[in-house]
Amino acid sequence: MKCSYCGFTYDDEQVCPICGTPAAQAEQPAPFTPQPAPTVQSAVPASSPEPAVKNKKKPAPAKKGKGLKIATFCVLSVIAAALVANVAIQAFSLSAELKHYRKSAEIMDKEKELYDKSFSLVESKPDIDSDYDGSYSGENSFSEKSDNKVHKVGESYDFGSGMITLKSVRVSQKTSNFDSAKQQVAFLVEVTNNTNSSQQYEIPSLTLGEKTDTEAFAFAEFNNSGDDVAYSLAPGESCSAVFCYNLPTENQTLNVTVSTEIQSGNCRVETVYSLETKDIK
C-alpha cells in the first residue's frame, strides 16, 4: 500500500508508519485532502545531555577539604580539652601539696614554740632542796674548792670532808716502750676519809696539762671495785689511783693537779703539786 500523502509504500497498515496518514479505504476512496506536514521528532541519542531547564540552579559543588577541616577541628578540640583537664589536675595536685607543706610547717612552728616554752620553764624552775630556807640551793648547783697552794709530793690537802694527797712519784720503767729517751713515771694519788661519817667520792684524777696529757699519758689504774666512778669510804678508809706517763729523761719542772669530787656535797676539790723530773727515782 502506498501512502497518499508522502508516497511511502508499506504493508497492510492502518496508518502510514512515516507520516501517520490513514490508509485509504478500497471500497470508498476518500477525496485527497492535503494535510500539514507533521513535525518529525528525531530520536534523542542516549548520550545526549538533558536540556537545561530555565531558571533552575545547579547545586553548588561541595568545597574540597571541608570534611577534613571539620575532623581536624574536632581532634584539636579534644586535645585542647585534655590539656586543659591535665593542667587543672596538676594545679589541684600542686595546690594540695602546697597546703600539705604549709600545714607541716605550721605544725613544726607550733612544736618549736611549745619546746621553747617548756625549755624556758625547766630552765627557770629551781630545784629546791628539802631543807629550803628561802634561799636557792639547786641540786644541779656545783662548786669548786681549792686551797690555792702549791704542795710538795707527800703533802695533803684537807678539804673538810676528806683529804687528798699526791703520795709518791717514781720511775716505774727506766725506758719507755716507744722512745729510749723517755722513761715511764707513776704518780700515786690517795683520797682518805678523815671524818667521823661515811663519805662518797668520785675516783681521783690527775693532770700534767692538756699538751702533756695528750702526748705522754700511758694508762691509769684504780683500786676501787666494780665499774662505778664513785665509791663510798667509811671513816679512816682510803682509796688510791695510779697514773702513768712517758716523760723525757732530761730534767723539767712538772706542775701536777690532783682532784676528786664529793658526791654528797656536789663539790669538786683540787690542789697543785710541783716537782723536778731529776728528783724522780
Side-chain angles (χ1 to χ4, degrees):
M1 183 179 294
K2 187 175 182 179
C3 180
S4 60
Y5 178 77
C6 65
F8 178 73
T9 303
Y10 57 91
D11 293 333
D12 189 9
E13 300 290 340
Q14 297 294 326
V15 292
C16 176
I18 297 301
C19 64
T21 300
Q25 297 294 330
E27 293 84 1
Q28 296 177 1
F32 174 76
T33 303
Q35 297 289 333
T39 302
V40 179
Q41 296 180 356
S42 59
V44 180
S47 61
S48 299
E50 295 181 0
V53 180
K54 190 177 181 180
N55 297 328
K56 183 178 181 182
K57 295 182 179 180
K58 292 184 179 180
K63 294 182 180 180
K64 294 182 178 180
K66 185 176 181 181
L68 179 60
K69 290 181 180 179
I70 294 175
T72 304
F73 176 76
C74 292
V75 172
L76 292 177
S77 299
V78 172
I79 294 175
L83 290 175
V84 171
N86 186 42
V87 170
I89 291 172
Q90 290 183 356
F92 178 79
S93 177
L94 179 60
S95 176
E97 189 172 355
L98 288 175
K99 287 181 180 178
H100 171 73
Y101 285 138
R102 291 195 192 101
K103 190 68 176 177
S104 300
E106 290 175 2
I107 293 173
M108 291 178 66
D109 289 341
K110 288 181 180 179
E111 289 180 350
K112 183 178 181 302
E113 184 179 353
L114 289 174
Y115 173 79
D116 291 341
K117 287 182 180 179
S118 300
F119 186 77
S120 177
L121 289 174
V122 170
E123 229 181 13
S124 60
K125 181 180 179 181
D127 288 326
I128 306 300
D129 290 337
S130 58
D131 57 346
Y132 179 64
D133 58 358
S135 62
Y136 171 60
S137 177
E139 290 182 359
N140 294 326
S141 62
F142 190 85
S143 61
E144 293 188 359
K145 189 175 183 181
S146 174
D147 60 355
N148 298 316
K149 293 181 180 180
V150 178
H151 297 276
K152 293 181 180 179
V153 177
E155 295 179 348
S156 300
Y157 167 39
D158 188 342
F159 48 84
S161 300
M163 185 170 59
I164 188 168
T165 309
L166 178 59
K167 295 286 291 183
S168 66
V169 181
R170 63 183 182 83
V171 176
S172 57
Q173 189 172 315
K174 289 291 184 182
T175 304
S176 170
N177 294 330
F178 305 100
D179 191 343
S180 59
K182 293 181 179 181
Q183 58 188 358
Q184 187 180 95
V185 179
F187 298 80
L188 174 63
V189 180
E190 185 178 79
V191 176
T192 303
N193 180 6
N194 59 351
T195 68
N196 296 324
S197 60
S198 295
Q199 299 290 334
Q200 192 173 31
Y201 310 93
E202 276 197 359
I203 56 177
S205 63
L206 180 146
T207 177
L208 301 182
E210 183 178 353
K211 187 174 185 295
T212 305
D213 288 345
T214 302
E215 297 176 353
F217 179 74
F219 61 89
E221 292 180 345
F222 308 92
N223 71 344
N224 65 316
S225 59
D227 297 328
D228 295 336
V229 296
Y231 51 91
S232 180
L233 293 179
E237 290 184 337
S238 298
C239 184
S240 60
V242 176
F243 301 87
C244 293
Y245 287 81
N246 294 314
L247 300 176
T249 54
E250 63 182 11
N251 185 53
Q252 60 178 317
T253 301
L254 297 178
N255 293 314
V256 185
T257 301
V258 294
S259 62
T260 188
E261 184 176 327
I262 309 168
Q263 291 291 303
S264 59
N266 290 329
C267 180
R268 181 175 180 271
V269 296
E270 67 176 28
T271 192
V272 178
Y273 291 82
S274 181
L275 67 149
E276 302 290 328
T277 55
K278 65 181 178 64
D279 297 330
I280 301 173
K281 305 298 182 185

